[in-house]
């Protein structure tokens, strides 16, 4: 026992600090002390008389801890309890009692008694308040952890982040400290939020507006966030939010004219015929704002569909696009802000996908500020029925991000929390979440009756003061404002709104303002006529040769796998000897020539670096070190850069991200590739709400390319069809390109066309699998250099006068039919490939039909079942197709059979039917 007699004499503050360090980061404590504390904890857990006597776990010595040290350790345990569980006992719910949790933070649960309250403990030094009585320590902890802000952070594994947070919390005991002018400004923004909603409520009775009432403190919070971030160097803000409170945010933060919003409420037609528009609370907005300190900043709120959380992925992509193009050396100059709903953030799986992107090389954006407008109810569903987790924000713990829960009625606490979150983001480049706990004054929309489903809650809400009036009373008590201050604010603000309303009613139409027009200067909106025009995608042979030379030679000073070396050598021979280029060379040469011309290329998706079918090898690894070599980035004089990233196993989130990236970077060829085309339906919401419809709804152009491996290879239902019928069903007028090309040269020119036009449309490409190495799927370098994209490929080998069967097809099936024709030596059959399915080259199809004058059998052949593939699309867009003889599998619910034997039988029968005119029924 003598060995530890110093415990009686040494300063207890040292032990308290060391024990605190042990509780937070056990591995950071010297091993003998760690063993000592482990023994102490064990001894206290098993002590029956309050004395800690234990056997030292390393040497077996008996250790007796003096009572003052024991008490210090118990106070440290109490501090630790507040840090880890204080958020459960806050005053953060403005309209109802919190759920009860046990054990509580009562001192008895930490081995302390009422008699200890006036005892001074050195453990106070851990909190930065010096030696203090237990009563003072508890008051401090209550203010820091259990007032209007509750914070979760002790699960973070980086000591420097925890220490930073604790130091920050101890400033002013985590209490706001604003001067009189700052407080008046908060009140002004609160008044704008309250008055705007009141104005709409009286002028547009019963109309949906998804009001912010109950969460009005979001407006001063966003205002403070943007102002302070600008002072810290942020130049670009990209925000996403759903409909709740969006109109108030557009007006009071983004500066959108209330006149325009009133025009949208009045339901006027749009000024431009080409756009269908959208409801007012889905529209995007971009503006240049001058902060109170005179800084010019760009702020963007992305357009969003009703599919909650979808916009979050788009926002992250926009932010990354801006960072890559404009702030490569300081990505923190772009700040993503996502405003969530409580039911959505906990219920929508997309949030998890986005959170998992936060620290990945291909998707990180330097930290996002997430703000949850927490209504405590989702439409009619109580929060207890909406999630299993304690908090709606528990997804934040996936990336060990801090979470601040704040009472939305305490405006100063809300602003304080937001500024805390901003400082954390700017310091560590990581996500942070704010749970703004308020309520929803009305139902899901203003015509809904919430008392049907939450009568008790809405009884409390009906008599509850709004945050502005609560804060105004507080400022009156402090002598900061007079009795009539708020009335004057409200009168002035509503007078401006009345003026805007009067002006709006003088105009007969409303105009959709382009989102991010600063990034899209010089690009045009075009119709299907322009989309069908030929585009010059030729490349000087010298440039093509230069690119080919770079991408077909590995660095000689590095050792690569023999298979990789052989593959790259074969590519060199393809170009410089055999002049027979395959699909991979088509892709890589398209990227390389675009880079040379000053464009950027970004590709992401599952396994894209190598390629699912091991064809691309855009990234090669050094054998011993696994160093990555990207040959495309070694092209001399290249003005662009090539980025390629294997994605996380996500479709929805990654497609949304890459769509956003393409939106912010129109001079980048942005590509997402599905591992198999079938998997793209995991992103169906993005495809339906953005890719196919955004130009009509929101005046948004986007050049995202989706590569979807497609083709019936006997690999079962999930690895056969990219469900082309779904994309084709979404095609209308001029909303996107859809292609199913069959030659490397056509793929080369298709990708180049995407950048060489002065407009942007999404491009869906059904790419091959078996054709990647098919001996006939090759093109010459002359076809690359001098050719162009061909929407239709006629049968160049056919003798026109001999042809009696004219067969139209698309994609890989062409080569199956070609093989059969050669086997049977059928000169009476011509095989014509439709390479672009939308816009459909109808005039070219007609010319081909006119050319084959002896063809009395016109066939549409597809490997897909009759109810899938392109057949229904032809019926919609090509009147003459109603007279075609159709050769396909019959109607099926599943794209393909799982049995390889059954698959081959069906496939064989379809091929046979093409060459047998007597068979005209589905097989």
């Amino acid at each position: 026992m003598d060995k530890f007699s110093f415990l009686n004499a040494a300063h207890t503050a040292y032990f308290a600090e060391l024990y605190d360090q042990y509780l937070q980061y056990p591995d950071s404590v010297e091993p003998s002390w760690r063993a000592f504390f482990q023994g102490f904890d064990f001894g206290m857990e098993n002590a029956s008389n309050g004395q800690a006597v234990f056997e030292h776990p390393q040497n077996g010595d008996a250790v007796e801890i003096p009572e003052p040290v024991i008490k210090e350790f118990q106070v440290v345990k109490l501090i630790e309890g507040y840090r880890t569980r204080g958020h459960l006992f806050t005053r953060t719910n403005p309209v109802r009692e919190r759920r009860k949790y046990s054990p509580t933070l009562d001192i008895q649960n930490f081995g302390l008694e009422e008699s200890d309250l006036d005892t001074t403990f050195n453990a106070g030094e851990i909190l930065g308040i010096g030696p203090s009585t237990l009563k003072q320590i508890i008051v401090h902890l209550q203010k820091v952890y259990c007032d209007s802000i509750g914070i979760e952070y002790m699960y973070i594994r980086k000591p420097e982040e925890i220490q930073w947070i604790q130091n920050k919390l101890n400033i002013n005991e985590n209490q706001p400290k604003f001067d009189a002018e700052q407080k008046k400004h908060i009140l002004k923004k609160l008044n704008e939020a309250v008055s705007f909603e009141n104005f709409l409520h009286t002028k547009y009775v019963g109309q949906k507006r998804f009001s912010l009432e109950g969460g009005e403190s979001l407006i001063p919070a966003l205002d403070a966030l943007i102002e302070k971030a600008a002072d810290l160097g942020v130049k670009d803000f990209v925000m996403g939010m759903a409909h709740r409170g969006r109109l108030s945010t557009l007006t009071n933060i983004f500066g959108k004219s209330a006149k325009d919003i009133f025009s949208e409420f009045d339901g006027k037609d749009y000024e431009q015929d080409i756009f269908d528009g959208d409801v007012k609370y889905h529209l995007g907005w971009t503006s240049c704002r001058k902060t109170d300190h005179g800084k010019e900043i760009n702020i963007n709120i992305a357009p969003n569909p009703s599919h909650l959380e979808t916009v979050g992925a788009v926002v992250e992509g926009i932010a990354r696009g801006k960072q890559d193009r404009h702030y490569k050396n300081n990505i923190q100059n772009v700040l993503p802000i996502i405003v969530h709903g409580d039911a959505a953030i906990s219920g929508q799986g997309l949030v998890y996908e986005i959170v998992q992107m936060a620290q990945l090389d291909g998707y990180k954006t330097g930290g996002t500020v997430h703000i949850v407008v927490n209504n405590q109810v989702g439409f009619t569903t109580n929060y207890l029925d909406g999630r299993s987790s304690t908090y709606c924000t528990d997804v934040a713990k996936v990336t060990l991000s801090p979470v601040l829960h704040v009472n939305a009625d305490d405006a100063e606490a809300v602003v304080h929390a937001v500024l805390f979150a901003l400082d954390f983001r700017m310091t560590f480049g990581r996500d942070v979440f704010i749970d703004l706990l308020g309520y929803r004054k009305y139902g899901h929309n203003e015509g809904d009756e919430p008392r049907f489903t939450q009568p008790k809650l809405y009884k409390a809400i009906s008599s509850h003061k709004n945050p502005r009036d609560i804060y105004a009373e507080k400022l009156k008590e402090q002598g900061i404002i007079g009795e009539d201050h708020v009335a004057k604010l409200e009168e002035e603000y509503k007078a401006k709104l009345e003026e805007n309303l009067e002006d709006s009613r003088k105009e007969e139409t409303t105009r959709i303002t382009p989102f991010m027009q600063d990034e899209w200067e010089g690009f045009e909106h075009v119709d299907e006529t322009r989309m069908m025009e030929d585009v010059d995608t030729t490349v000087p042979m010298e440039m093509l040769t230069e690119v080919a030379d770079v991408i077909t030679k590995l660095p000689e000073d590095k050792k690569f796998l023999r298979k990789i070396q052989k593959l790259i050598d074969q590519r060199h021979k393809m170009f410089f000897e055999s002049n027979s280029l395959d699909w991979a060379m088509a892709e890589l040469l398209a990227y390389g020539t675009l880079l040379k011309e000053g464009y950027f290329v970004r590709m992401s998706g599952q396994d894209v670096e190598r390629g699912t079918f091991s064809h691309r090898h855009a990234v090669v690894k050094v054998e011993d070190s696994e160093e990555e070599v990207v040959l495309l980035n070694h092209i001399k004089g290249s003005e662009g850069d090539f980025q390629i990233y294997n994605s996380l196993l996500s479709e929805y989130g990654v497609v949304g991200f890459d769509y956003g990236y393409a939106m912010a970077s129109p001079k980048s060829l942005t590509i997402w590739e599905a591992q198999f085309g079938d998997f793209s339906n995991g992103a169906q919401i993005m495809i339906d709400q953005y890719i196919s419809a955004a130009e009509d709804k929101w005046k948004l152009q986007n050049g995202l390319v989706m590569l979807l491996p497609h083709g019936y290879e006997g690999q079962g239902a999930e690895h056969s069809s990219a469900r082309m019928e779904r994309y084709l069903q979404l095609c209308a007028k001029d909303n996107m390109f859809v292609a199913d090309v069959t030659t490397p040269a056509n793929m080369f020119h298709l990708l180049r066309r995407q950048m060489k036009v002065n407009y942007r449309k999404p491009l869906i490409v059904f790419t091959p699998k078996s054709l990647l190495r098919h001996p006939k799927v090759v093109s010459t370098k002359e076809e690359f250099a001098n050719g162009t994209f061909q929407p239709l490929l006629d049968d160049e080998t056919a003798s026109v006068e001999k042809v009696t069967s004219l067969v139209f097809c698309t994609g890989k099936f062409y080569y199956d039919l070609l093989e059969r024709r050669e086997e049977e030596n059928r000169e009476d059959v011509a095989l014509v490939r439709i390479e672009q399915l939308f816009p459909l080259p109808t005039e070219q199809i007609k010319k081909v039909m006119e050319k084959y004058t002896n063809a009395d059998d016109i066939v549409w052949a597809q490997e897909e079942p009759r109810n899938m593939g392109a057949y229904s699309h032809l019926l919609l867009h090509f009147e003459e197709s109603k007279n075609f003889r159709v050769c396909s599998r019959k109607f099926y619910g599943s794209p393909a059979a799982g049995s390889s034997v059954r698959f081959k039988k069906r496939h064989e029968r379809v091929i046979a039917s093409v060459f047998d005119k007597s068979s005209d029924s589905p097989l």
Side-chain angles (χ1 to χ4, degrees):
M1 211 178 289
D2 290 340
K3 186 172 182 180
F4 294 95
S5 60
F6 68 89
L7 291 169
N8 290 294
H11 199 297
T12 54
Y14 172 70
F15 302 127
E17 185 177 339
L18 200 59
Y19 186 50
D20 179 51
Q21 184 182 341
Y22 161 75
L23 289 176
Q24 293 188 72
Y25 333 108
D27 292 340
S28 69
V29 177
E30 193 271 327
S32 63
W33 275 111
R34 185 164 66 245
F36 169 77
F37 289 134
Q38 287 168 345
F40 169 74
D41 284 347
F42 180 78
M44 289 304 296
E45 286 171 10
N46 294 279
S48 57
N49 56 2
Q51 291 184 323
V53 180
F54 62 92
E55 186 178 284
H56 195 285
Q58 285 186 333
N59 55 30
D61 290 348
V63 181
E64 181 177 345
I65 310 296
E67 186 179 3
V69 177
I70 292 173
K71 288 289 186 182
E72 289 284 357
F73 285 177
Q74 287 166 331
V75 174
V76 173
K77 282 272 195 182
L78 175 68
I79 293 169
E80 182 77 0
Y82 272 89
R83 287 169 172 170
T84 55
R85 302 181 72 249
H87 58 87
L88 297 171
F89 306 99
T90 55
R91 295 197 291 268
T92 50
N93 198 320
V95 287
R96 55 181 164 193
E97 289 295 314
R98 285 206 60 168
R99 284 182 280 179
K100 305 299 180 188
Y101 297 93
S102 63
T104 65
L105 296 174
D106 293 343
I107 58 174
Q108 290 79 7
N109 291 324
F110 298 90
L112 298 164
E113 304 295 337
E114 296 286 328
S115 58
D116 296 316
L117 287 172
D118 293 323
T119 303
T120 297
F121 291 97
N122 287 308
E125 293 190 11
I126 296 168
L127 300 171
I129 59 175
S132 305
T133 65
L134 178 58
K135 186 184 296 182
Q136 290 171 324
I137 288 171
I138 291 170
V139 168
H140 175 84
L141 291 171
Q142 285 280 335
K143 285 183 176 180
V144 171
Y145 293 104
C146 300
D147 201 353
S148 291
I149 302 172
I151 179 167
E152 296 181 273
Y153 69 97
M154 288 298 286
Y155 42 75
I156 293 173
R157 296 181 191 138
K158 292 184 178 179
E160 65 272 20
E161 290 185 13
I162 288 186
Q163 192 59 56
W164 184 93
I165 290 171
Q166 289 175 352
N167 292 343
K168 198 82 172 171
L169 292 174
N170 287 329
I171 299 172
N172 302 327
E173 297 182 311
N174 196 26
Q175 299 294 311
K177 191 173 183 181
F178 299 115
D179 61 33
E181 287 307 309
Q182 289 171 319
K183 291 179 178 182
K184 286 181 181 179
H185 185 75
I186 291 171
L187 180 63
K188 175 176 176 286
K189 299 308 289 186
L190 272 178
N191 175 70
E192 289 174 2
V194 171
S195 300
F196 180 77
E197 299 292 1
N198 286 343
F199 189 85
L200 291 180
H201 195 63
T202 54
K203 299 295 183 181
Y204 297 99
V205 179
Q207 277 210 45
K208 287 182 185 180
R209 69 179 194 277
F210 298 102
S211 84
L212 188 58
E213 287 160 284
E216 291 99 331
S217 52
L218 174 69
I219 298 303
L222 289 173
D223 178 72
L225 177 63
I226 290 171
E227 289 284 334
K228 179 64 175 176
D231 289 342
L232 296 176
V234 174
K235 305 284 194 299
D236 246 303
F237 296 82
V238 187
M239 185 168 152
M241 69 183 297
H243 39 274
R244 174 88 40 217
R246 187 181 183 90
L247 297 179
S248 182
T249 302
L250 280 166
T251 299
N252 296 315
I253 299 297
F254 283 80
K256 181 173 182 178
S257 168
K259 181 184 79 169
D260 292 338
I261 291 177
F262 298 147
S263 288
E264 290 156 10
F265 266 104
D266 288 332
K268 297 170 184 174
D269 199 358
Y270 298 105
E271 185 177 282
Q272 294 150 294
D273 291 336
I274 193 170
F275 304 110
D276 284 341
D278 199 359
V279 289
K280 48 202 164 285
Y281 37 77
H282 288 172
L283 299 174
W285 188 260
T286 296
S287 60
C288 184
R289 169 172 162 168
K290 183 173 277 191
T291 70
D292 292 345
H293 292 160
K295 296 184 182 298
E296 296 276 348
I297 54 172
N298 188 269
I299 53 178
N300 308 272
I301 184 167
N304 67 290
S306 288
H307 297 68
L308 305 174
E309 301 299 338
T310 298
V311 73
V314 177
V315 162
E316 298 294 352
I318 292 172
R320 178 60 180 261
K322 284 177 171 286
Q323 289 167 344
D324 283 353
R325 294 287 75 82
H326 307 303
Y327 305 103
K328 193 76 173 176
N329 298 321
N330 194 352
I331 65 171
Q332 288 198 320
N333 283 358
V334 182
L335 175 61
I337 304 166
I338 302 178
V339 180
H340 309 264
D342 53 314
I345 193 174
S346 57
Q348 299 283 303
L350 176 62
V351 180
Y352 180 83
E353 297 181 33
I354 295 169
V355 164
Q356 283 287 19
M357 293 179 188
Q359 295 299 315
L360 303 181
D361 283 347
Y363 307 92
K364 61 187 177 186
T365 55
T368 298
V369 176
H370 300 263
I371 303 176
V372 181
V373 178
N374 190 339
N375 302 314
Q376 308 186 56
V377 60
F379 202 160
T380 67
T381 304
N382 286 316
Y383 72 96
L384 290 171
D385 296 318
R387 62 178 185 267
S388 297
S389 57
T390 301
Y391 295 112
C392 63
T393 51
D394 280 349
V395 70
K397 294 167 188 173
V398 171
T399 48
L400 307 177
S401 300
V403 181
L404 296 96
H405 306 278
V406 197
N407 189 322
D409 270 2
D410 189 337
E412 287 188 21
V414 171
V415 173
H416 178 76
V418 164
L419 296 179
F420 177 102
L422 175 66
D423 281 348
F424 181 86
R425 186 267 180 180
M426 298 301 287
T427 303
F428 297 106
R430 301 216 301 110
D431 286 14
V432 59
F433 289 71
I434 296 169
D435 177 14
L436 191 62
L437 201 71
Y439 55 90
R440 190 182 69 192
K441 184 175 180 181
Y442 302 105
H444 176 65
N445 60 64
E446 287 65 36
D448 198 29
E449 177 49 85
R451 288 175 296 180
F452 287 155
T453 48
Q454 281 85 20
K456 188 176 176 182
L457 172 63
Y458 274 86
K459 184 176 181 181
I461 289 172
S462 66
S463 58
H464 193 77
K465 283 186 177 180
N466 67 55
R468 180 198 65 186
D469 293 346
I470 292 171
Y471 190 48
E473 287 299 321
K474 182 179 176 181
L475 297 190
K476 286 176 190 175
E477 290 171 7
Q478 294 174 1
I480 292 174
I481 63 170
E483 284 295 325
D484 61 348
H485 185 85
V486 172
K488 284 182 179 177
L489 283 178
E490 189 169 22
E491 183 182 346
E492 290 171 5
Y493 184 74
K494 286 192 172 179
K496 289 180 183 176
L497 293 179
E498 286 284 3
E499 186 179 330
N500 274 274
L501 179 63
E502 188 178 333
D503 288 345
S504 78
R505 289 183 171 168
K506 294 174 185 175
E507 298 178 0
E508 295 181 0
T509 59
T510 188
R511 182 179 181 82
I512 298 177
T513 304
F515 174 64
M516 282 199 314
Q517 60 267 42
D518 52 326
E519 301 283 3
W520 286 85
E521 190 175 343
F523 289 89
E524 299 177 9
H525 288 274
V526 302
D527 60 17
E528 59 267 41
T529 304
R530 284 281 302 279
M531 290 171 72
M532 289 302 294
E533 289 179 359
D534 289 338
V535 178
D536 182 4
T537 54
T538 59
V539 178
M541 185 61 79
E542 297 78 15
M543 181 193 292
L544 197 67
T545 303
E546 182 186 346
V547 172
D549 191 50
V550 172
I551 66 173
T552 61
K553 286 182 182 176
L554 289 170
E556 293 180 1
D557 59 340
K558 302 179 192 299
K559 184 182 177 184
F560 297 89
L561 288 169
R562 230 179 299 173
K563 285 186 177 180
I564 289 292
Q565 187 69 58
K566 183 179 177 183
L567 182 141
I568 301 299
D569 289 345
Q570 285 172 342
R571 289 180 177 174
H572 191 81
K573 289 176 183 175
M574 277 183 199
F575 191 92
F576 292 99
E577 295 178 23
S578 64
N579 194 12
S580 182
L581 309 181
D582 66 3
W583 200 273
M585 282 293 282
E587 267 195 55
L588 298 173
L589 287 169
Y591 306 148
T593 53
L594 286 171
L595 294 170
K596 242 342 222 181
E597 293 170 331
Y599 298 99
F600 302 85
V601 180
R602 172 191 165 90
M603 174 182 279
S604 87
Q606 295 153 29
D607 311 295
V608 296
E609 293 179 7
R610 188 202 75 175
T612 296
F613 306 102
S614 198
H615 83 287
R616 184 173 294 116
H617 294 282
V619 177
V620 292
K621 300 282 183 76
V622 177
E623 184 174 357
D624 298 328
S625 64
E626 292 197 359
E627 175 193 345
E628 295 186 344
V629 175
V630 182
L631 296 173
L632 280 165
N633 282 328
H634 294 174
I635 300 170
K636 289 181 181 177
S638 173
E639 295 181 34
D641 69 299
F642 178 73
Q643 300 178 12
I644 185 165
Y645 301 102
N646 285 342
S647 75
L648 65 162
L649 202 68
S650 152
E651 286 82 34
Y652 191 178
V654 174
V655 170
F657 185 100
D658 284 328
Y659 180 89
Y661 191 99
M663 192 190 301
S665 189
K667 293 183 180 176
S668 294
L669 179 65
T670 306
I671 302 169
W672 176 77
E673 181 176 59
Q675 191 177 63
F676 284 83
D678 318 55
F679 298 165
S680 64
N681 57 14
Q684 198 64 50
I685 290 172
M686 283 306 316
I687 294 161
D688 290 344
Q689 310 309 129
Y690 278 96
I691 290 169
S692 67
E695 189 168 3
D696 267 3
K697 292 192 294 186
W698 305 316
K699 207 173 180 179
L700 289 184
Q701 292 193 67
N702 197 288
L704 178 68
V705 179
M706 294 179 68
L707 302 182
L708 311 179
H710 171 87
Y712 283 58
E713 321 278 2
Q715 296 185 39
E718 270 71 56
H719 296 319
S720 294
S721 170
R723 298 287 194 172
M724 64 165 62
E725 63 279 356
R726 292 185 179 170
Y727 294 92
L728 295 172
Q729 188 182 36
L730 293 170
C731 291
K733 297 190 302 180
D734 51 19
N735 61 334
M736 55 184 170
F737 288 106
V738 178
D740 187 12
V741 299
T742 59
T743 73
N746 233 14
M747 183 64 175
F748 173 85
H749 292 290
L750 178 67
L751 291 171
R752 285 182 52 76
R753 182 182 73 175
Q754 194 68 358
M755 289 288 99
K756 301 297 284 185
V757 293
N758 67 338
Y759 60 86
R760 294 289 179 262
K761 303 282 183 181
L763 168 62
I764 314 301
V765 189
F766 301 107
T767 55
K769 294 179 286 187
S770 63
L771 300 192
L772 297 173
R773 295 174 182 82
H774 195 291
K776 291 192 174 181
V777 183
V778 292
S779 302
T780 65
K781 56 190 176 186
E782 288 75 20
E783 288 173 314
F784 281 50
N786 305 321
T788 187
F789 175 70
Q790 299 179 65
L792 181 142
L793 290 174
D794 195 0
D795 193 335
E796 295 179 354
T797 64
S799 297
V800 175
E801 65 281 357
K802 293 181 181 179
V803 173
T804 57
S805 283
L806 177 59
V807 180
F808 290 98
C809 61
T810 187
K812 166 248 174 191
F813 198 41
Y814 164 77
Y815 290 96
D816 295 337
L817 297 174
L818 180 62
E819 183 180 9
R820 177 59 55 88
R821 186 178 72 174
E822 289 175 349
E823 286 174 2
E824 297 185 2
N825 194 26
R826 293 285 297 271
E827 294 184 339
D828 60 325
V829 177
L831 301 175
V832 179
R833 290 165 274 177
I834 299 178
E835 301 277 289
Q836 180 171 289
L837 293 166
F838 193 83
L840 195 66
T842 52
E843 293 307 312
Q844 289 178 257
I845 296 172
K846 287 176 183 177
K847 285 180 181 177
V848 166
M849 290 173 66
E850 292 168 3
K851 171 183 169 183
Y852 293 95
T853 54
N854 295 329
D856 57 5
D857 179 34
I858 313 295
V859 179
W860 170 253
Q862 65 178 42
E863 53 190 342
E864 299 87 357
R866 181 70 63 91
N867 55 309
M868 301 176 194
Y871 178 56
S872 57
H873 173 68
L874 284 174
L875 291 175
L876 284 171
H877 294 274
F878 190 62
E879 183 71 24
E880 291 83 350
S881 66
K882 293 174 183 175
N883 300 317
F884 286 6
R885 178 167 69 87
V886 184
C887 297
S888 72
R889 284 166 169 80
K890 65 181 181 181
F891 293 76
Y892 286 106
S894 174
S899 160
S900 59
V901 173
R902 181 172 292 184
F903 165 81
K904 287 175 184 174
K905 279 183 182 177
R906 289 178 179 172
H907 200 63
E908 184 64 29
R909 288 167 65 192
V910 177
I911 293 171
S913 72
V914 173
F915 295 89
D916 182 0
K917 295 181 184 180
S918 64
S919 175
D920 60 355
S921 60
L923 302 162

